[in-house]
Amino acid sequence: MSEPREPLHTVLRSPSKEVVMGADKPFVVIGERINPTGRRIFQQQLRDGDLSAIERDVKAQVEGGADVLDINMGVPLTDEPELLVKAIKLAQSLTDLPICIDSSVVEALEAGLEAYEGRALVNSITAEDERMEQVLPLVKKYDAAIIALPNDADEIPMEADKRVVLTEKIVRVATQEYGIAIEDIVIDPLAMPIGADPTVGRTALDTMLAISQRWGLNMTCGASNVSFGMPGRHAINATWLPMAMTVGMTSAIMDARTPQIVEAVRAADLLLGNDEWGMNWIAAHRARQAAAAAAGSTT
Amino acid sequence: MSEPREPLHTVLRSPSKEVVMGADKPFVVIGERINPTGRRIFQQQLRDGDLSAIERDVKAQVEGGADVLDINMGVPLTDEPELLVKAIKLAQSLTDLPICIDSSVVEALEAGLEAYEGRALVNSITAEDERMEQVLPLVKKYDAAIIALPNDADEIPMEADKRVVLTEKIVRVATQEYGIAIEDIVIDPLAMPIGADPTVGRTALDTMLAISQRWGLNMTCGASNVSFGMPGRHAINATWLPMAMTVGMTSAIMDARTPQIVEAVRAADLLLGNDEWGMNWIAAHRARQAAAAAAGSTT
């Protein structure tokens, strides 16, 4: 029987709060909403220098139970580094949650890391040499952790073992060439939409199990990718995350405003022994009952 | 990377319907309600020879989406073999679903197997020599499949590797001493209440992963055991089954009348690639929408 490795711990920090990701810790909900992708009104507001939507989004993610906030300011025709710095400073004035700095633009990542107070998570690199060369020195310089996707310029591999080979490359390059601690590498195993190919869920799960058993690395994913194009997406996503957690997923970038999904993740924490005696589960259940009673309905 | 074995297929039959359990097949929902345990009124009805509750229970389980029906007639102070035979004959007159014959009384199992038309699942044996000696000849004689629990007279082992050792004993005895095909052995990995011990979920999952990787055996469990004593049991059960399915659980004895749990199981089928192109998922979603529209609410 192949035992998983001792869990590695990825530590993220704000000035006053520490969040630890690990297979023996409660799942880390990375609130995803502070991102203008696909939100045209929000994009125009950001172009006009209006950051008020961020205030609402931070509040909603925190209230929904986010542990970390992902901040992406990828708006065409703006100065992304400047906008990202403003958004990070604003978010840090509103919450003590650690931040995941999310950009495809290296200059934006550097400006964000420079501005951020604490120990950030950087989103993301792939196994492509050029991207690793650009981003990993920043991860080292600013003492951050990094999300890495096991694909390269040639392909997104559709076989779990090829993804493991690319993970091996990422781990080798990051630790040996850039001196990054292995526990600061968080792998995104590439969960693709199940509606486009029925085998992709199993492939992602096989990838996670292999990575968990070989290294004990922390893992994350965009929680809603798998259900893209299908009806009943919340139910699919709420089922997917506990399945992924069973084989080593320890965080997800997700919308904390969906109670069904947050509840599923907390039930999985309980079932994996990461919510000892169900303290969090029972407290959340009481809060839901109180909220339902206040709303005049029953649970 | 340790690959799971080729999935084994357990075939159950009624005169007109075949249900196949396997890791590459949709999850098999074994409807649990036709059981007087903890139902005092039903017990008294059965003592009085009134089987009308069974008619309602069969209907409700079938409508909820059960694939197989578990029938248990363990009522104190009755002739259990006679009652079980009546219940099986009644159920077979009402539905074409295959039946899981559930009794701790060997004579009742034999009478039930004799009366049943088709290929039944028998619930259950343990790794205890005496129980195997009594039940396995019947399983062979009536060409049935058998649920087996990896505990013996000494203990319910709290370590996954000890459960694997007892599974090995069951597989060896059943196949070598009684000539039962390995695909007709369905292991119940012993999922205990998480509220009594926070480690039991992980132990059951580790047991399933090991059994799946070593033999590819089919597995089942009582779906609601893990949540015993906790609040929010439906949410816990609906999370538990997809987690178990990720590491090889292929059926569960559960109440098909709980839509939240049945929906979670069908979402997990989709995510494991066992609902190709989401045909079942999409059809069920449409049915839910139509039902909600008919009820005057929205989904």
Side-chain angles (χ1 to χ4, degrees):
Chain A
M1 177 171 165
S2 176
E3 289 289 343
R5 290 294 179 113
E6 277 299 297
L8 295 170
H9 291 155
T10 307
V11 179
L12 307 176
R13 281 193 207 96
S14 72
S16 57
K17 195 176 179 97
E18 182 174 283
V19 170
V20 181
M21 207 183 284
D24 56 350
K25 303 283 179 186
F27 192 77
V28 172
V29 173
I30 305 175
E32 74 174 353
R33 184 72 182 159
I34 308 162
N35 187 332
T37 308
R39 297 171 68 185
R40 240 181 300 178
I41 294 167
F42 187 24
Q43 289 187 12
Q44 191 53 52
Q45 288 171 333
L46 292 175
R47 274 195 211 100
D48 298 341
D50 173 8
L51 276 69
S52 58
I54 294 178
E55 297 188 31
R56 291 194 298 277
D57 287 340
V58 167
K59 188 165 184 291
Q61 294 298 312
V62 171
E63 285 175 356
D67 301 299
V68 171
L69 295 180
D70 186 273
I71 299 188
N72 178 309
M73 287 288 124
V75 185
L77 309 175
T78 60
D79 182 338
E80 190 179 329
E82 189 191 337
L83 198 54
L84 187 55
V85 166
K86 277 189 190 162
I88 288 171
K89 287 188 171 173
L90 176 58
Q92 290 212 283
S93 76
L94 298 167
T95 174
D96 62 355
L97 297 191
I99 283 173
C100 177
I101 302 174
D102 182 359
S103 179
S104 56
V105 177
V106 177
E107 292 73 22
L109 289 180
E110 174 145 35
L113 283 164
E114 174 73 36
Y116 179 67
E117 292 183 59
R119 187 159 210 273
L121 182 59
V122 172
N123 187 6
S124 60
I125 58 167
T126 63
E128 291 169 277
D129 294 325
E130 192 188 343
R131 183 78 179 166
M132 289 199 285
E133 280 165 27
Q134 292 173 328
V135 175
L136 289 177
L138 300 177
V139 172
K140 178 66 182 175
K141 177 177 172 188
Y142 292 98
D143 186 33
I146 179 74
I147 296 175
L149 291 76
N151 68 276
D152 60 18
D154 299 331
E155 59 164 356
I156 295 180
M158 293 311 286
E159 301 83 19
D161 52 2
K162 286 194 190 172
R163 294 185 190 177
V164 173
V165 168
L166 289 178
T167 300
E168 189 171 33
K169 175 183 171 182
I170 291 164
V171 168
R172 178 173 41 78
V173 170
T175 58
Q176 294 178 15
E177 296 184 25
Y178 295 95
I180 291 166
I182 188 167
E183 61 265 29
D184 289 325
I185 303 166
V186 177
I187 301 295
D188 180 332
L190 298 166
M192 322 275 286
I194 194 91
D197 177 349
T199 69
V200 293
R202 186 84 76 162
T203 302
L205 294 169
D206 287 348
T207 303
M208 287 183 252
L209 180 59
I211 289 173
S212 169
Q213 291 186 331
R214 176 140 169 206
W215 293 286
L217 285 165
N218 283 304
M219 286 180 268
T220 197
C221 71
S224 59
N225 282 5
V226 285
S227 64
F228 185 79
M230 295 295 290
R233 292 189 70 181
H234 286 341
I236 297 174
N237 299 343
T239 300
W240 170 249
L241 289 179
M243 294 173 77
M245 290 167 72
T246 304
V247 285
M249 179 82 70
T250 49
S251 67
I253 301 172
M254 56 187 269
D255 191 342
R257 295 173 312 167
T258 314
Q260 185 180 1
I261 304 177
V262 175
E263 187 184 34
V265 160
R266 296 310 168 207
D269 280 341
L270 174 68
L271 290 160
L272 290 171
N274 295 339
D275 174 13
E276 206 151 354
W277 309 113
M279 303 276 280
N280 295 336
W281 178 260
I282 293 166
H285 184 79
R286 286 186 183 148
R288 277 193 298 276
Q289 281 188 315
S297 69
T298 57
T299 48
Chain B
M1 180 169 164
S2 176
E3 290 289 343
R5 291 292 180 113
E6 276 299 296
L8 295 171
H9 290 156
T10 308
V11 178
L12 307 176
R13 281 192 207 95
S14 73
S16 58
K17 195 178 179 97
E18 182 174 283
V19 171
V20 182
M21 207 183 286
D24 56 350
K25 303 283 180 190
F27 192 77
V28 172
V29 173
I30 305 175
E32 74 174 352
R33 184 73 179 159
I34 307 160
N35 187 332
T37 309
R39 298 172 66 186
R40 241 180 300 178
I41 295 169
F42 186 26
Q43 289 188 11
Q44 190 54 52
Q45 289 171 334
L46 291 174
R47 273 194 212 100
D48 297 342
D50 173 6
L51 275 67
S52 58
I54 294 178
E55 298 188 30
R56 290 194 299 277
D57 287 340
V58 167
K59 188 165 184 289
Q61 295 297 312
V62 171
E63 285 175 354
D67 302 298
V68 171
L69 296 180
D70 186 273
I71 299 187
N72 178 308
M73 288 287 124
V75 185
L77 310 174
T78 59
D79 182 340
E80 188 178 331
E82 188 191 340
L83 197 54
L84 187 57
V85 166
K86 279 189 191 161
I88 289 170
K89 289 188 169 172
L90 177 57
Q92 290 212 285
S93 75
L94 298 167
T95 175
D96 62 355
L97 298 190
I99 283 172
C100 177
I101 302 175
D102 182 0
S103 179
S104 56
V105 176
V106 177
E107 293 72 20
L109 289 180
E110 175 145 34
L113 282 163
E114 175 72 36
Y116 179 67
E117 293 184 58
R119 188 160 211 271
L121 182 59
V122 172
N123 188 5
S124 59
I125 58 165
T126 63
E128 290 170 278
D129 294 325
E130 191 188 345
R131 182 80 178 163
M132 289 198 285
E133 279 165 27
Q134 292 173 327
V135 176
L136 289 177
L138 300 176
V139 172
K140 178 68 182 173
K141 178 177 174 190
Y142 292 97
D143 187 32
I146 179 74
I147 296 174
L149 291 76
N151 68 275
D152 60 17
D154 298 330
E155 59 165 354
I156 294 182
M158 293 311 285
E159 301 83 19
D161 52 2
K162 286 194 189 170
R163 293 184 190 177
V164 173
V165 168
L166 289 177
T167 299
E168 189 171 32
K169 174 182 174 184
I170 291 163
V171 168
R172 178 172 43 76
V173 171
T175 59
Q176 294 178 16
E177 296 184 24
Y178 295 94
I180 291 166
I182 187 166
E183 61 265 28
D184 288 326
I185 303 166
V186 177
I187 301 293
D188 180 333
L190 298 165
M192 322 274 286
I194 193 90
D197 176 348
T199 69
V200 293
R202 185 84 75 163
T203 301
L205 295 169
D206 288 346
T207 303
M208 288 183 251
L209 180 60
I211 289 172
S212 169
Q213 291 186 331
R214 176 142 171 204
W215 293 285
L217 286 164
N218 283 305
M219 287 180 267
T220 198
C221 70
S224 58
N225 282 7
V226 286
S227 64
F228 185 79
M230 294 296 291
R233 292 190 68 182
H234 286 340
I236 297 173
N237 299 344
T239 300
W240 170 249
L241 289 179
M243 294 173 78
M245 290 166 73
T246 304
V247 287
M249 178 82 71
T250 49
S251 68
I253 301 171
M254 55 188 269
D255 190 344
R257 295 174 310 165
T258 313
Q260 185 181 1
I261 303 176
V262 176
E263 187 184 33
V265 160
R266 296 310 169 205
D269 280 341
L270 174 68
L271 289 161
L272 290 171
N274 295 339
D275 174 13
E276 205 150 356
W277 309 115
M279 304 276 280
N280 295 338
W281 178 260
I282 293 167
H285 183 78
R286 284 185 185 148
R288 277 194 298 275
Q289 281 188 315
S297 68
T298 58
T299 50

